[in-house]
Amino acid sequence: MLANILLWGGYFLLFSYLVAKGRRHDVALSGAVGFGVQAFAYVATYISAVALVGFGGLAHSYGLQMLLIAAGNVWLGTWAVYRFLAWPTRRWQRTLEARTPAQLLAVGHGSPLLGKGLALIFVIFLGVYASAVIKGAALLLGEITPLPLSLLIWLVAALVGIAVFVGGLRGVLYTEAMQGMVMLMGILMLAGAVLIKVGGPLAGIRGLARLAPTIQANHGFTALSGGDQGLFILSLTVVTSVAVWAQPQMIQRHFALASPKQLTRITPLAMLILTVLVGGAYFIAALSRLVLPEVSSPDAVMPMLVRMLLPEFALQLFVLAIVSASLSTATAIYHIAVSALTEDICKSRGNRLVWFVGIVVCVFISGCCAHLKGQLVALLCATSWSIVGSAALVPYVALVCFNRRNAVAATSSAACGFTVCLGWYLFAYG
């Protein structure tokens, strides 16, 4: 008990200290930070509890083909971003004196309408997505505390709001870097336990190869499935690896770059961290088929593994890692949503009072949505990543990669991408 108290107490003390490090900086801009902070913050923003727990559970059903998603995240979602997008984004941001991603695209293309439209999309869809992340963290904390879920939701939302208000973007980057390290320790710990249980990685792969095919893994658990199942994996690879290019919370990470030379350190480190996190999570979740032949739900796979294989303190550390994944994503989403609301829509540059009001609004919206049960909210939470990316991708890539600036074309492409993607989800999936 004492060890658990020290673990959680130390975590939140360090969290508070890192938040305070950003309090003397502009809330919307961080200034340059070190390459280690950049790399860990980028990965922590990229990877949420949905990826580690939800997609990890899918690996139990689909097998090693889920590693294609991890490969896409590492090479398309990280290497390609830092090779082609990161420094051009920083250069344009300095040239245009943009404070937010929406401002970057609005000023770059000379279209105030584009900036207002994207800011509104960011506030609504990322705000709703934040509710799912916050509820996930609250559910995990509910496993180790006697507090009711409703209270935990508001406590988590308030904690994230306070962190963003006090520390601004710089504080968010520091806390995300710390949370990325905790996530790494949690996955390494669970990976070691699973590999020992199955007799090592090679023995585990041979064991998967001997299993009979299933509907999801219709070519076996070590090969890409045929038909709709294989296309599902490939589509997830593209969506989670390409839509990340134009996520505003990821774009804003590039605003903290100091020089192009920093990329030579950030890129390999971020790729390594991401390989261990998502590659490790999906690999051990696929091997869990040898330990957990049947599960009630994919979401139950990782928690069952933790309860089965880890001692109490290690279990607490893994829960802390998943909570860190939720909090790191939530702080990034809160910051971008509040920035869009205060700086892009209300046109209030760095006003602390307006920033505080924006935080309160975001906490209220996400907290209320986290209490709702309904297909529409679930749909918005599950699909906001691709909807936001569809709206911003073409204007963003056209500006920073090809130096193409056109107000009509940029606004039209954003409207078209948003409408088509949202329409597809609403009408194709009802």
Side-chain angles (χ1 to χ4, degrees):
M1 178 62 72
L2 178 60
N4 295 339
I5 294 174
L6 291 175
L7 174 66
W8 285 90
Y11 176 86
F12 284 108
L13 283 175
L14 182 57
F15 181 86
S16 302
Y17 168 75
L18 293 174
V19 166
K21 285 177 68 68
R23 65 187 308 169
R24 293 187 178 88
H25 289 77
D26 191 316
V27 290
L29 297 173
S30 67
V33 298
F35 79 94
V37 174
Q38 279 272 9
F40 274 97
Y42 181 86
V43 173
T45 304
Y46 194 163
I47 302 303
S48 69
V50 174
L52 296 180
V53 177
F55 279 26
L58 289 181
H60 178 274
S61 302
Y62 288 88
L64 294 182
Q65 58 185 320
M66 285 290 292
L67 291 178
L68 286 174
I69 299 175
N73 295 168
V74 171
W75 288 100
L76 293 177
T78 304
W79 177 84
V81 167
Y82 280 108
R83 174 64 178 83
F84 300 108
L85 299 172
W87 184 249
T89 299
R90 173 60 167 154
R91 188 172 61 244
W92 274 107
Q93 183 259 328
R94 288 197 299 195
T95 301
L96 301 174
E97 298 182 347
R99 293 171 58 80
T100 68
Q103 285 182 21
L104 176 74
L105 298 181
V107 178
H109 289 287
S111 174
L113 178 61
L114 174 65
K116 286 287 184 70
L118 288 176
L120 189 59
I121 291 171
F122 297 162
V123 171
I124 294 173
F125 284 89
L126 292 181
V128 175
Y129 179 65
S131 68
V133 176
I134 287 169
K135 189 169 186 177
L139 286 168
L140 285 167
L141 289 173
E143 294 292 325
I144 59 173
T145 65
L147 298 177
L149 177 61
S150 178
L151 178 59
L152 287 172
I153 287 173
W154 288 114
L155 287 176
V156 173
L159 173 65
V160 174
I162 292 170
V164 174
F165 175 74
V166 174
L169 182 57
R170 195 175 186 89
V172 167
L173 291 177
Y174 281 132
T175 56
E176 286 178 342
M178 180 265 287
Q179 289 157 346
M181 294 178 187
V182 175
M183 292 159 60
L184 193 62
M185 288 190 292
I187 291 298
L188 286 173
M189 179 183 60
L190 183 59
V194 172
L195 291 176
I196 291 173
K197 183 70 174 179
V198 301
L202 295 180
I205 293 173
R206 287 194 292 267
L208 288 179
R210 288 193 294 267
L211 295 178
T214 63
I215 295 175
Q216 289 82 12
N218 54 37
H219 288 170
F221 286 87
T222 59
L224 178 65
S225 294
D228 292 343
Q229 303 299 334
L231 289 176
F232 171 68
I233 297 297
L234 294 176
S235 67
L236 277 181
T237 302
V238 173
V239 168
T240 60
S241 304
V242 175
V244 69
W245 296 356
Q247 295 298 311
Q249 65 272 28
M250 310 305 293
I251 294 173
Q252 201 168 45
R253 297 298 167 269
H254 308 324
F255 291 5
L257 288 171
S259 71
K261 292 182 179 179
Q262 229 181 8
L263 300 179
T264 60
R265 293 182 171 185
I266 296 173
T267 306
L269 179 57
M271 291 174 69
L272 176 61
I273 299 167
L274 199 59
T275 298
V276 175
L277 276 182
V278 293
Y282 301 165
F283 183 62
I284 61 174
L287 294 182
S288 71
R289 169 66 66 164
L290 304 174
V291 182
L292 306 170
E294 297 297 335
V295 294
S296 58
S297 165
D299 291 340
V301 171
M302 299 299 269
M304 289 178 68
L305 281 177
V306 170
R307 287 193 295 268
M308 177 187 296
L309 300 177
L310 297 181
E312 174 62 25
F313 182 78
L315 184 149
Q316 295 283 334
L317 181 59
F318 186 82
V319 171
L320 185 58
I322 303 303
V323 170
S324 294
S326 297
L327 291 179
S328 62
T329 303
T331 51
I333 292 173
Y334 263 44
H335 186 273
I336 204 69
V338 175
S339 296
L341 180 62
T342 59
E343 303 255 343
D344 300 318
I345 296 176
C346 298
K347 300 297 183 183
S348 176
R349 183 184 176 99
N351 186 303
R352 296 290 295 187
L353 177 60
V354 177
W355 185 260
F356 175 76
V357 173
I359 293 285
V360 172
V361 170
C362 197
V363 169
F364 179 77
I365 292 174
S366 59
C368 288
C369 289
H371 285 82
L372 296 177
K373 294 180 180 180
Q375 292 182 349
L376 180 58
V377 174
L379 177 68
L380 294 176
C381 292
T383 59
S384 59
W385 181 273
S386 50
I387 290 172
V388 170
S390 296
L393 183 62
V394 173
Y396 173 61
V397 172
L399 177 66
V400 301
C401 284
F402 301 103
N403 196 25
R404 299 293 184 183
R405 308 173 69 179
N406 187 297
V408 175
T411 305
S412 300
S413 66
C416 183
F418 170 78
T419 303
V420 170
C421 188
L422 180 60
W424 170 257
Y425 284 122
L426 289 176
F427 295 107
Y429 292 100

